[in-house]
Amino acid sequence: MNLQAIQSSGYEVVFGDASELLIDFLQKRNYSKIFFLVDTNTSEHCYPGIALNIAGDIPHDIIEIDNGEENKNIDICIGIWKMLLDFGADRKSLVINLGGGVVTDMGSFAAATYKRGIDFLQIPTTLLSQVDASVGGKTGIDVDAVKNMVGTFTNPQTVIIDPSFLLTLPKREIISGFAEIIKHGLIVDKEYFNAIKFIIFDDIDPLIIHRSVAIKNEVVTADPHEKNIRKKLNYGHTIGHAIESYSLQHDKNPLLHGEAIAIGMIAESYLSHKFADLQQEELNEICDFILSVYPSYKVDENSFDDLLAFMKNDKKNEDDKINFTLLNSIGTSTINYYCSEEEILESIKFYNNLIK
Ligand SMILES: NC(=O)c1ccc[n+]([C@@H]2O[C@H](COP(=O)([O-])OP(=O)(O)OC[C@H]3O[C@@H](n4cnc5c(N)ncnc54)[C@H](O)[C@@H]3O)[C@@H](O)[C@H]2O)c1
Ligand SMILES: [Zn+2]
């Protein structure tokens, strides 16, 4: 299937075979050196196919990091800078980030800051990174438990989306990434929300990925620095991020990002019903659908103080108030709602009561 390229701010998101698209891109450029950043898993599952196809044509070095969010930190980033230095990367070098959001976020941050910024290209290999981390220009690393604490807004030269990488991605990761797709439907496109109910997780329709990228792109190009409507993308994330951070610190098998966001979307739909016109039937529809996809996870009521502390710490807040995007209906949303601590906890209890 030939999917049209999506034009973002100064770069394109292209869809298709990664090797072909990469060769195509590099033929038009003249880089002094090329580096692939991979993690343990993309080194095994994604890099070999590309290496086979570009063998000999494109000399490059590989920088490999351990997989996992716990590695998206300054120590690993320093390691990447040092490797770039050791391999002789100069201002005319290119970093190709081949991996999930951890690799694309940290690789783009490393590139955006190395020698005051060198070019980088994104090849996202998880569903989440394809539909979300791929566009918008946010780069970053975590500091302790605070996600994306340090970063920049820097755009890649291009983004290559090859849905075939998803074939080796564990199903749990696919379903986690699907949460962002649900979010895209809920915030701006009811028809899309209805269509994605028929998704087949073992064989994701590339059209779904394309539509999600298009939605995210529309929003971020209208508001690149998150002054206004980009905040729509935070739907489900105010509460979801706090639950994710808490789970990372306390659970043996912590929630994945999308699993936490799914909970956040239910809680914030409850708030939407209470404060932003979301009708009861649509609230039920959202809850039923999300609960049919995601595992049952009860939020520990002992965590409530910590969750509120995480929410208050959220860098998206202004004037110490906890900021929400809420739904007016499925497919329409409004930014900048503020809810009290009691209301927020009530919404989490609402979610907990839905869990058997
Ligand atoms: N910049 C942005 O706008 C933005 C948006 C959303 C999320 N993010 C960031 O993205 C990160 C989460 O991304 P993620 O969910 O992709 O996590 P991830 O990068 O940790 O990838 C998840 C797991 O899948 C493995 N993997 C990746 N591709 C694979 C493949 N094709 N086959 C088999 N295994 C594969 C990885 O090694 C990892 O173990 C978070 O750090 C989040 O903050 C950034
Ligand atoms: Zn998210």
Side-chain angles (χ1 to χ4, degrees), residues 62-76:
I62 304 168
I63 301 175
E64 182 174 328
I65 59 172
D66 286 341
N67 65 296
E69 183 74 29
E70 65 276 21
N71 295 302
K72 197 176 125 179
N73 62 45
I74 191 68
D75 296 322
I76 304 292

Side-chain angles (χ1 to χ4, degrees), residues 44-323:
E44 182 184 341
H45 297 296
C46 309
Y47 173 72
I50 294 189
L52 200 70
N53 289 321
I54 64 171
D57 292 346
I58 304 169
H60 59 270
D61 290 300
I62 304 168
I63 301 175
E64 182 174 328
I65 59 172
D66 286 341
N67 65 296
E69 183 74 29
E70 65 276 21
N71 295 302
K72 197 176 125 179
N73 62 45
I74 191 68
D75 296 322
I76 304 292
C77 189
I78 290 172
I80 297 172
W81 286 323
K82 284 187 175 164
M83 293 279 277
L84 287 171
L85 207 57
D86 288 349
F87 282 130
D90 61 20
R91 304 275 296 262
K92 287 191 171 159
S93 299
L94 173 75
V95 175
I96 299 172
N97 299 312
L98 178 67
V102 167
V103 165
T104 57
D105 270 18
M106 184 160 54
S108 54
F109 177 69
T113 46
Y114 179 80
K115 298 200 173 177
R116 297 212 172 83
I118 61 174
D119 283 1
F120 64 92
L121 185 155
Q122 308 285 48
I123 310 185
T125 59
T126 61
L127 184 60
L128 185 120
S129 58
Q130 293 189 346
V131 299
D132 193 351
S134 59
V135 276
K138 283 187 181 176
T139 82
I141 51 172
D142 305 334
V143 178
D144 296 332
V146 189
K147 284 186 50 133
N148 306 319
M149 174 78 181
V150 175
T152 66
F153 281 103
T154 315
N155 287 326
Q157 294 305 303
T158 196
V159 179
I160 292 175
I161 295 188
D162 183 341
S164 73
F165 285 129
L166 303 181
L167 295 174
T168 56
L169 190 66
K171 191 157 174 187
R172 189 177 168 201
E173 294 286 351
I174 297 261
I175 292 177
S176 171
F178 182 55
E180 305 292 351
I181 292 177
I182 297 176
K183 178 189 78 179
H184 291 148
L186 288 176
I187 58 173
V188 294
D189 188 344
K190 182 172 180 155
E191 203 179 307
Y192 181 54
F193 177 73
N194 289 333
I196 58 168
K197 288 184 179 161
F198 302 99
I199 195 165
I200 300 164
F201 291 119
D202 294 329
D203 182 19
I204 305 275
D205 182 347
L207 273 171
I208 291 184
I209 300 172
H210 190 271
R211 177 68 190 133
S212 259
V213 174
I215 289 175
K216 174 151 188 197
N217 188 51
E218 244 169 69
V219 175
V220 299
T221 47
D223 174 26
H225 293 106
E226 204 164 316
K227 302 274 184 249
N228 45 69
I229 73 153
R230 187 168 180 162
K231 290 186 188 173
K232 287 194 175 200
L233 297 167
N234 296 335
Y235 170 68
H237 282 63
T238 305
I239 293 175
H241 257 154
I243 292 174
E244 180 185 15
S245 302
Y246 186 87
S247 173
L248 275 173
Q249 287 181 338
H250 293 86
D251 292 338
K252 266 205 209 91
N253 177 20
L255 289 170
L256 296 180
H257 176 71
E259 292 168 344
I261 298 313
I263 299 171
M265 288 194 288
I266 290 184
E268 294 179 25
S269 294
Y270 174 82
L271 295 172
S272 303
H273 173 55
K274 234 182 139 176
F275 302 109
D277 304 333
L278 183 73
Q279 297 299 300
Q280 182 73 50
E281 303 75 58
E282 291 202 328
L283 171 64
N284 295 346
E285 186 183 341
I286 294 168
C287 296
D288 290 349
F289 179 54
I290 292 179
L291 291 173
S292 73
V293 174
Y294 290 89
S296 301
Y297 176 95
K298 264 227 186 299
V299 181
D300 181 358
E301 300 214 355
N302 294 320
S303 71
F304 282 4
D305 287 345
D306 290 3
L307 294 182
L308 290 171
F310 277 122
M311 285 180 234
K312 285 184 212 155
N313 240 332
D314 194 317
K315 59 185 171 309
K316 294 185 275 286
N317 294 334
E318 281 162 27
D319 305 329
D320 279 343
K321 289 189 288 185
I322 302 172
N323 186 292

Side-chain angles (χ1 to χ4, degrees), residues 13-28:
V13 183
V14 292
F15 296 79
D17 179 88
S19 309
E20 281 175 22
L21 292 166
L22 184 60
I23 291 169
D24 212 40
F25 169 84
L26 290 171
Q27 272 168 355
K28 296 178 209 139

